[in-house]
Amino acid sequence: SECKLDDGEWESCESPKTYLNLEQNTNHVFEVRSTDDLGNLGAADAWTWSIDTINPTTVILTGPSNPSNNTAPTFTYESPENPNATFQCELDGGDLTECNTGSITFSDLAEGSHVFKVYATDEAGNTDTTGDSWSWDIDTTPSETYIDSGPNDPTASTSASFVYRDDEPTDYFMCRLDAVSGDDIEWEECDGGTKTYSDLLEDVYTFSVKSIDEAGNEDLTPAPWTWRIDQTEPETTITDGPPDPTPDSSATFIFESNEANSTFECKIDN
């Protein structure tokens, strides 16, 4: 028999034939042919293979936002140069598990910090020992919203300004203003921690504000502020006083207003 490797020369050989210290990360071709007792040279047979010692790379393509209120996140991942790679996945330092479909979904994860890792192994058996990782926080607790200031109740002013906040970092606020005599108003974004309304009519109003935090949790108990705008002059009535005429040099008067909590000013003569 005669053997040759790659572009080398034919040489006499016996089976099995071993080659040492072959060039790495390249393709090789081994060929062998035989000659019978009569000197007839047979056709060569060939065996092609590659030596690959390079670790694959692993890339996480998609995962949850950070922070997130999703307790069942899905990850997708790949090894860009190895379409037939296999994968092992790890969550929060737990055991490695096979996850060869290119995606994995977890369920019922707890609030707090999490780390997902995935490692690719190529067809030659080389494993990405570094892998790729994805860190994020799960937050399912809504923040509380507070109104720090607003208009007096009642007030004659037709404008109203509010200052509000919440107890954790907020992505944005939503506000609405409802009047007793009007239609319900849709929620609208009102970022910045302040909101001002102007040219309001006489009515009883309720301003409500709620926060949506960075994880997407909505405050389900919006903070309210109710007040009344009153621009109608009160009516004052004297209900009792001295008889006319009277010999008494002192005089006592009883009077009232048609609006509760009114204050009074009095004068006599000039």
Side-chain angles (χ1 to χ4, degrees):
S1 299
E2 292 181 314
C3 301
K4 65 175 292 190
L5 180 66
D6 300 332
D7 295 327
E9 300 294 330
W10 288 101
E11 61 180 0
S12 178
C13 61
E14 293 182 355
S15 180
K17 175 64 175 175
T18 300
Y19 294 94
L20 301 175
N21 300 320
L22 296 179
E23 184 180 355
Q24 297 180 359
N25 304 313
T26 188
N27 295 326
H28 295 282
V29 180
F30 170 72
E31 296 177 83
V32 60
R33 62 189 180 185
S34 58
T35 304
D36 62 18
D37 292 340
L38 299 177
N40 298 306
L41 182 62
D45 196 10
W47 188 283
T48 300
W49 82 106
S50 63
I51 296 177
D52 176 8
T53 62
I54 298 176
N55 290 341
T57 56
T58 312
V59 178
I60 298 175
L61 301 175
T62 61
S65 59
N66 183 32
S68 170
N69 61 3
N70 182 7
T71 60
T74 296
F75 296 87
T76 62
Y77 40 87
E78 68 175 6
S79 180
E81 72 278 12
N82 293 278
N84 296 318
T86 59
F87 298 92
Q88 288 187 306
C89 294
E90 170 192 310
L91 180 65
D92 298 335
D95 294 335
L96 288 170
T97 58
E98 290 188 1
C99 50
N100 293 327
T101 60
S103 68
I104 189 171
T105 298
F106 298 96
S107 61
D108 300 324
L109 298 186
E111 278 196 301
S113 298
H114 297 276
V115 180
F116 168 71
K117 294 183 178 180
V118 59
Y119 306 86
T121 299
D122 63 20
E123 291 179 286
N126 302 300
T127 297
D128 181 2
T129 56
T130 302
D132 198 9
S133 64
W134 190 288
S135 300
W136 82 107
D137 293 326
I138 293 179
D139 174 12
T140 59
T141 303
S143 58
E144 287 291 333
T145 313
Y146 304 93
I147 300 175
D148 291 328
S149 63
N152 293 329
D153 180 34
T155 180
S157 175
T158 59
S159 63
S161 295
F162 299 89
V163 177
Y164 42 87
R165 59 182 172 84
D166 73 345
D167 59 357
E168 66 176 66
T170 292
D171 192 12
Y172 60 96
F173 290 94
M174 298 288 288
C175 296
R176 65 183 290 174
L177 180 65
D178 297 310
V180 168
S181 62
D183 296 329
D184 289 343
I185 305 300
E186 297 296 326
W187 290 97
E188 61 178 358
E189 283 196 30
C190 51
D191 294 338
T194 61
K195 179 68 174 178
T196 298
Y197 297 94
S198 58
D199 299 325
L200 299 177
L201 302 177
E202 277 196 314
D203 212 327
V204 176
Y205 293 91
T206 297
F207 169 76
S208 302
V209 58
K210 60 184 177 180
S211 59
I212 291 82
D213 66 21
E214 293 177 333
N217 301 300
E218 178 181 323
D219 183 359
L220 300 180
T221 56
W225 188 288
T226 299
W227 81 106
R228 177 169 58 91
I229 295 176
D230 179 7
Q231 291 191 310
T232 302
E233 296 178 355
E235 295 181 4
T236 307
T237 303
I238 300 174
T239 59
D240 195 14
D244 181 26
T246 178
D248 196 345
S249 61
S250 63
T252 298
F253 298 90
I254 299 174
F255 43 85
E256 64 184 15
S257 171
N258 67 331
E259 293 189 20
N261 301 318
S262 294
T263 61
F264 298 90
E265 294 180 317
C266 299
K267 64 175 290 188
I268 189 168
D269 301 332
N270 295 319

